[in-house]
Amino acid sequence: MCGIVGYIGDEPCTEILLDGLRRLEYRGYDSAGLAIYDGGKINILRAEGKLKNLVKTVSETPLPGDLGIGHTRWATHGRPSEQNAHPHKAGSVVVVHNGIIENHLSLRKELQDEGRTFQSETDTEILSHLVAREMEAGHPLEEAVRRTLNRVKGSYAIAVISEDQPDRIVAARFSSPLVIGLGEGKNYVASDVPAILSHTRRMLFLDDGEMAVVSREGVRLFDLDGKPVERQAKDIDWSPTMAEKGGYKHFMLKEIHEQPRSIADTLRGRISLERGEVSLNGFSFEKEYLEGLSRIVVIACGTSWHAALVGKFWIEQFARIPVEIDLASEFRYRRPILDERVLVVAISQSGETADTLAALNGAKKKGAKVLSICNVVESSIPRASDFTIYTHAGPEIGVASTKAFITQLSVLYLLAIYCARAVGRMDAREAAHKLLELVRIPVLVDDILSREDEIRNIAEIFHRTKDFLFIGRWTNYPIALEGALKLKEISYIHAEGYPAGEMKHGPIALVDENLVVVTLITRNRMYEKVLSNMQEAQARRGTIIAISSENDEEIDKHADMVFRIPAVEEELEPLLTVVPLQLLAYYIADFNGTDVDQPRNLAKSVTVE
């Protein structure tokens, strides 16, 4: 969950490290710190709270040097404090770490029994002591790190430097992301690509159980047995400005507005309207394989799980293949019935979600094939999968996912049509029609965004409301869940999403004059049903905000506030109904003055349990 950055080269590194941490602060913002080598000594500065506190400290106490590591923390072991902030030092060794050391208690006791003292409550400090002990025994830094990691159980991405060998950074990973950036006479380490993208586009992505020795001259990769690893660098085509705010007040608002382009980028090169065909990254499932499936199991967490719920409707309706949706955090601890006749689809924006990765690996052990849908190239989940379809949302910095969600929906719609065509349940003409409607979506989303002031006005009226209920049916039920999640994530207001048909099974008891009911009531096959549910809430004095279709002239009689979306094929409505809900959450949070991009207690990539 934390963010790591490192640099070794021929220029002062303080600003390089701070700039990297700014781009990683979405991964954690409880505290931050730097460790920089300068003429025989590693100097460390740390600060509790957001990165701006560290920047202030550095401005008062400059840190010269051209070798250093930095860290921004999301607290796991140990409360947020300067004492618990990284980096941690023992002897000549300094460590930054993302992850959880599961056997830290036994290791701490072992070290304390040897007379070693600890300055923090963190599990990370154990690593610095273990590496220091190995170096004191005569092992060079990389060997000391390797021997240490073979004692450790849990997840980690680490960067280690030492006053005794100040010509290298040793980095390693297991179940937490880490990337090496390649330059000329300089090299970089980071948790995520945007941290170093303004310096290099050539990247090496470490796999689990691998180490890197990073020097000014180059990078050497090893596994934990000490065997060399060969890997080609990847060229990343994101531009550095894609990770900047671009004049918007928050990253989240910028990313909401980037959705038309993100959808278009995700569809580009994957659709043939002439043939009514979908091409998915050059791989194909044989008709016999798909027909032989007993079911598809989709695993995901959070917003990605909501996308999966929508995808279930599409795949079952178009391809008539049974689909199960599972929360990865629950799936991994069950004994799911899987074999080679099951296709597991793993969805994750970051490609590093710990529960999803663990569930994926468990599924592979049972013989299932795994297809992943991810946004980050060469992240852990794609590398562990048999097949991958990348979304092309670009870097998503705001913790509350928006453009990643809508591109996940886009890919799931393509996958549903692909499967339907492959098994012969959709002909070319029908597929071409559905794909043509999908191609229209970026323009329709842009139309919604051009009317965002309507949503802003609604948000201004209701931003002091303490309770919201979001309801929808069919494909709009998952969007109700997503709308509620967005609101509570960034505004800290209580919100629940429910299938509208379940109102009389409990939620209707909540309805009174203090509850706002956001109703997704588009002109689809469920319109009359949802209208009835909405009227039940209205009869109990609930305030109704309706997200309706542009051709619905009756809805004004039944709702207090209405926002209309453009007409579209009913299966595609989720790609439109979600946008006003994103804007509603954003503006309510902004009116209430919360930290939209970095909401409390949350981080962008959940890389620990």
Side-chain angles (χ1 to χ4, degrees):
M1 205 76 83
C2 309
I4 290 171
V5 63
Y7 171 82
I8 183 168
D10 56 3
E11 57 190 291
C13 64
T14 300
E15 285 305 316
I16 294 171
L17 297 177
L18 288 175
D19 180 65
L21 292 180
R22 289 186 190 99
R23 300 170 195 273
L24 290 175
E25 199 175 8
Y26 65 90
R27 296 182 62 87
Y29 32 87
D30 293 326
S31 60
L34 296 178
I36 297 178
Y37 177 80
D38 177 34
K41 182 181 179 182
I42 295 175
N43 297 303
I44 297 176
L45 287 180
R46 304 181 298 187
E48 181 182 352
K50 294 195 174 183
L51 184 62
K52 63 182 180 182
N53 297 337
L54 177 64
V55 172
K56 182 175 184 295
T57 301
V58 171
S59 69
E60 296 167 351
T61 310
L63 290 178
D66 55 13
L67 162 66
I69 53 178
H71 189 270
T72 182
R73 182 173 186 246
W74 187 83
T76 51
H77 293 89
R79 62 185 175 83
S81 68
E82 182 179 344
Q83 182 184 33
N84 289 327
H86 300 210
H88 290 289
K89 185 179 183 186
S92 70
V93 173
V94 180
V95 176
V96 291
H97 166 229
N98 169 34
I100 292 177
I101 305 305
E102 295 173 0
N103 58 337
H104 73 102
L105 291 177
S106 61
L107 291 172
R108 179 183 285 260
K109 184 178 185 304
E110 174 187 319
L111 291 162
Q112 287 174 328
D113 288 346
E114 295 176 3
R116 297 178 184 270
T117 58
F118 287 79
Q119 306 300 318
S120 75
E121 305 166 294
T122 69
D123 54 341
T124 301
E125 192 178 355
I126 291 157
L127 297 173
S128 58
H129 280 282
L130 289 172
V131 175
R133 184 174 68 179
E134 295 293 344
M135 290 193 73
E136 290 162 9
H139 299 293
L141 181 58
E142 54 263 44
E143 177 64 11
V145 171
R146 189 186 71 81
R147 293 169 71 92
T148 292
L149 294 180
N150 281 319
R151 296 284 316 280
V152 162
K153 297 178 182 177
S155 62
Y156 57 79
I158 63 170
V160 188
I161 58 176
S162 171
E163 291 167 342
D164 294 337
Q165 289 187 272
D167 61 346
R168 68 198 66 186
I169 302 171
V170 177
R173 67 155 283 174
F174 187 85
S175 297
S176 290
L178 205 62
V179 58
I180 309 299
L182 305 179
E184 295 293 332
K186 62 189 80 171
N187 291 297
Y188 309 82
V189 178
S191 293
D192 204 353
V193 168
I196 53 178
L197 191 58
S198 60
H199 303 286
T200 180
R201 294 190 182 186
R202 295 185 65 233
M203 310 281 178
L204 284 170
F205 295 85
L206 297 190
D207 282 332
D208 279 350
E210 291 183 350
M211 297 172 47
V213 179
V214 183
S215 66
R216 292 172 179 83
E217 292 74 29
V219 177
R220 293 177 289 131
L221 301 185
F222 301 88
D223 64 20
L224 291 186
D225 292 325
K227 298 176 182 176
V229 172
E230 298 293 331
R231 179 162 301 122
Q232 292 295 316
K234 299 281 185 178
D235 290 319
I236 304 301
D237 60 4
W238 293 350
S239 67
T241 57
M242 292 177 73
E244 300 297 336
K245 288 183 183 177
Y248 289 93
K249 186 175 182 181
H250 295 99
F251 279 113
M252 182 179 177
L253 185 59
K254 172 179 179 280
E255 288 157 5
I256 290 171
H257 278 266
E258 287 175 340
Q259 288 180 124
R261 189 197 69 197
S262 296
I263 298 168
D265 287 347
T266 297
L267 301 182
R268 187 171 292 115
R270 290 172 166 167
I271 291 174
S272 170
L273 295 177
E274 294 79 8
R275 299 190 302 273
E277 291 181 356
V278 171
S279 174
L280 297 175
N281 288 40
F283 78 84
S284 62
F285 292 121
E286 298 295 332
K287 178 181 179 182
E288 292 76 15
Y289 171 74
L290 290 173
E291 288 180 334
L293 290 177
S294 61
R295 67 196 192 283
I296 294 173
V297 175
V298 188
I299 53 175
C301 297
T303 285
S304 296
W305 183 67
H306 298 157
L309 291 172
V310 180
K312 172 184 172 71
F313 287 99
W314 291 334
I315 295 170
E316 289 189 339
Q317 179 171 327
F318 296 167
R320 308 304 297 157
I321 299 173
V323 179
E324 294 177 8
I325 309 299
D326 233 310
L327 286 163
S329 55
E330 294 294 325
F331 182 86
R332 63 179 293 196
Y333 292 112
R334 295 207 326 271
R335 296 179 62 190
I337 301 171
L338 299 172
D339 56 28
E340 66 279 356
R341 296 180 61 240
V342 177
L343 172 65
V344 172
V345 179
I347 307 177
S348 168
Q349 185 283 137
S350 67
E352 302 292 349
T353 310
D355 286 315
T356 306
L357 182 58
L360 177 162
N361 287 326
K364 289 183 70 174
K365 289 178 181 177
K366 293 179 180 292
K369 292 289 187 183
V370 176
L371 165 67
S372 61
I373 298 172
C374 291
N375 187 45
V376 179
V377 176
E378 289 294 303
S379 52
S380 297
I381 288 174
R383 295 208 306 273
S385 302
D386 297 293
F387 316 100
T388 298
I389 307 173
Y390 285 111
T391 59
H392 295 302
E396 188 177 69
I397 305 303
V399 166
S401 182
T402 53
K403 62 177 181 173
F405 174 74
I406 211 164
T407 54
Q408 287 168 353
L409 291 181
S410 302
V411 164
L412 285 165
Y413 197 80
L414 291 177
L415 180 62
I417 293 176
Y418 176 90
C419 291
R421 291 283 284 124
V423 298
R425 291 190 172 92
M426 183 181 292
D427 62 26
R429 182 176 179 181
E430 182 182 4
H433 171 74
K434 291 187 179 300
L435 292 170
L436 182 60
E437 287 295 297
L438 180 61
V439 170
R440 293 179 57 226
I441 292 295
V443 174
L444 302 183
V445 171
D446 199 50
D447 174 77
I448 292 171
L449 294 172
S450 72
R451 296 183 286 122
E452 71 177 293
D453 282 348
E454 296 177 39
I455 294 294
R456 187 179 187 278
N457 293 338
I458 295 172
E460 188 170 16
I461 294 169
F462 294 108
H463 74 278
R464 296 295 185 192
T465 302
K466 299 300 182 185
D467 294 283
F468 282 77
L469 180 65
F470 290 71
I471 59 173
R473 298 187 78 148
W474 196 44
T475 53
N476 278 322
Y477 150 54
I479 303 305
L481 297 180
E482 176 64 8
L485 177 62
K486 283 292 153 286
L487 183 61
K488 56 190 161 190
E489 274 184 312
I490 61 174
S491 70
Y492 320 142
I493 291 172
H494 174 250
E496 292 200 42
Y498 253 90
E502 292 294 297
M503 283 283 288
K504 290 190 284 292
H505 294 274
I508 201 167
L510 298 171
V511 181
D512 61 17
E513 67 276 10
N514 297 312
L515 183 73
V516 172
V517 182
V518 181
T519 307
L520 302 174
I521 180 166
T522 47
R523 278 288 187 182
N524 59 33
R525 67 186 73 179
M526 304 302 295
Y527 179 82
E528 297 296 336
K529 299 285 188 183
V530 179
L531 181 61
S532 175
N533 300 136
M534 189 174 77
Q535 290 171 327
E536 290 167 356
Q538 191 176 40
R540 289 157 179 82
R541 295 183 296 170
T543 299
I544 308 299
I545 299 174
I547 307 299
S548 72
S549 302
E550 64 182 2
N551 56 354
D552 187 351
E553 301 300 331
E554 295 294 315
I555 195 66
D556 297 273
K557 302 174 185 177
H558 306 287
D560 298 280
M561 308 289 293
V562 178
F563 183 88
R564 290 177 168 83
I565 66 166
V568 70
E569 292 281 308
E570 60 181 11
E571 292 96 347
L572 287 167
E573 287 174 350
L575 286 98
L576 301 187
T577 54
V578 72
V579 179
L581 301 190
Q582 294 168 342
L583 290 168
L584 181 66
Y586 170 79
Y587 279 113
I588 286 177
D590 191 40
F591 279 124
N592 284 327
T594 61
D595 192 336
V596 172
D597 287 332
Q598 298 175 352
R600 67 189 184 199
N601 304 330
L602 298 176
K604 183 64 176 174
S605 301
V606 184
T607 58
V608 297
E609 285 191 70

